[in-house]
Amino acid sequence: MTMLLILGPFVFVWAVAGLFYALGRRRSRQLRLDEITFARSVRQRWSPSIFSRPRTWLAVRSRNPEDVARSMGLGELHPCACAEAMADADADAERLFVSPSVNGWVVVTGRQLPGPGEDIDACYRFLANMSERLGHVQYFHGNPALGHHAWAKLIDRQVTRAYAWTGETTWSQGKPTLAEEKTGMRCFDYLEDGEDGSYQQWETVGANVDRLPMLASIWSVDPVVLEDPAMRMKPGWVGRLAKCHR
């Protein structure tokens, strides 16, 4: 009994230390994908691989990709690994890929997503509809060839920030965020685009497109994380977006 009283506090201390060690290891694994997202964005934003990123993508605040896919109203839904979906990204223009969750964010990619250069009002209606269904939705678009680019953040159908440039500013709403300032994004005002085709204008436009993944990694997640070996075999969902939701 005396020995138990003597050793008891030591056993308790070691047990508590072991618990904290295990929790620390678990937390470090959870933070790993955060580090992958940010570090790879920094390393790759100027590299040719930026052109392999999806031209348009959504980031949805959720840990359940199946729930996101079903809330979007996707039909013909089936599971699909990241590696398979990214390899066949252009094989079927009518499908969307909903990625596994990355630190609380689900990435949606596919050519069915609207571009800002087609119809900015239709783009807004689509995002507002998706935000009503999904809550917190972010939108990113970058076309290196044309220089078209856009980013938007909507929460429960309310636009907190949006900007789109498609040869001219077609959407500018909300105050520029700190992340935009930190990444050096330059937003033109309406009717303030300067001379069409001027070198300075295209230099600014090109820089915005290049920095878009960095902005995404600060706001939510950069899709480049889906190329990491830790993510490639994780399952997401593939489906078709009904015309009534486009």
Side-chain angles (χ1 to χ4, degrees):
M1 184 66 177
T2 304
M3 183 65 69
L4 181 61
L5 291 175
I6 295 173
L7 296 178
F10 292 99
V11 172
F12 176 76
V13 169
W14 277 104
V16 171
L19 176 62
F20 276 102
Y21 175 77
L23 291 174
R25 294 262 303 185
R26 181 180 178 184
R27 178 59 178 164
S28 68
R29 286 195 297 268
Q30 291 174 342
L31 291 175
R32 181 171 179 266
L33 286 178
D34 272 333
E35 296 169 357
I36 292 170
T37 302
F38 187 79
R40 294 193 70 177
S41 290
V42 173
R43 291 197 304 269
Q44 297 188 17
R45 62 173 171 158
W46 301 115
S47 70
S49 67
I50 193 170
F51 292 94
S52 68
R53 280 185 176 87
R55 183 173 295 178
T56 309
W57 72 91
L58 303 178
V60 180
R61 188 67 169 171
S62 175
R63 294 186 180 276
N64 189 331
E66 182 179 3
D67 182 59
V68 170
R70 296 192 183 281
S71 295
M72 291 182 70
L74 299 188
E76 303 178 30
L77 201 60
H78 62 274
C80 181
C82 280
E84 180 183 349
M86 302 306 279
D88 298 334
D90 296 324
D92 187 348
E94 295 299 315
R95 73 176 189 173
L96 292 180
F97 173 63
V98 181
S99 81
S101 178
V102 182
N103 299 315
W105 293 95
V106 169
V107 177
V108 181
T109 64
R111 291 168 61 183
Q112 277 193 318
L113 295 176
E118 300 161 7
D119 182 342
I120 195 63
D121 292 327
C123 185
Y124 161 74
R125 289 192 297 270
F126 171 82
L127 294 175
N129 183 31
M130 289 298 106
S131 178
E132 185 175 33
R133 293 164 171 265
L134 300 167
H136 189 159
V137 174
Q138 297 177 7
Y139 172 80
F140 302 93
H141 174 87
N143 185 326
L146 298 177
H148 294 183
H149 55 280
W151 55 88
K153 182 187 297 186
L154 296 86
I155 302 176
D156 297 329
R157 203 179 173 87
Q158 299 300 310
V159 179
T160 63
R161 173 61 178 150
Y163 179 77
W165 188 92
T166 57
E168 61 181 352
T169 299
T170 55
W171 190 9
S172 183
Q173 186 172 351
K175 184 180 178 181
T177 63
L178 180 61
E180 292 170 62
E181 296 175 6
K182 292 294 186 182
T183 52
M185 292 300 206
R186 165 81 162 84
C187 299
F188 296 105
D189 290 330
Y190 291 113
L191 305 178
E192 188 253 329
D193 296 304
E195 292 183 33
D196 291 341
S198 70
Y199 176 79
Q200 184 176 9
Q201 180 190 40
W202 280 104
E203 190 175 52
T204 300
V205 165
N208 279 357
V209 174
D210 288 341
R211 293 166 181 161
L212 189 66
M214 180 66 76
L215 176 64
S217 70
I218 296 174
W219 271 14
S220 50
V221 61
D222 179 357
V224 74
V225 73
L226 301 179
E227 299 177 4
D228 190 86
M231 293 295 300
R232 288 180 62 82
M233 299 314 297
K234 289 190 175 182
W237 293 84
V238 168
R240 298 175 187 272
L241 187 65
K243 290 184 178 180
C244 61
H245 298 319
R246 299 180 196 178

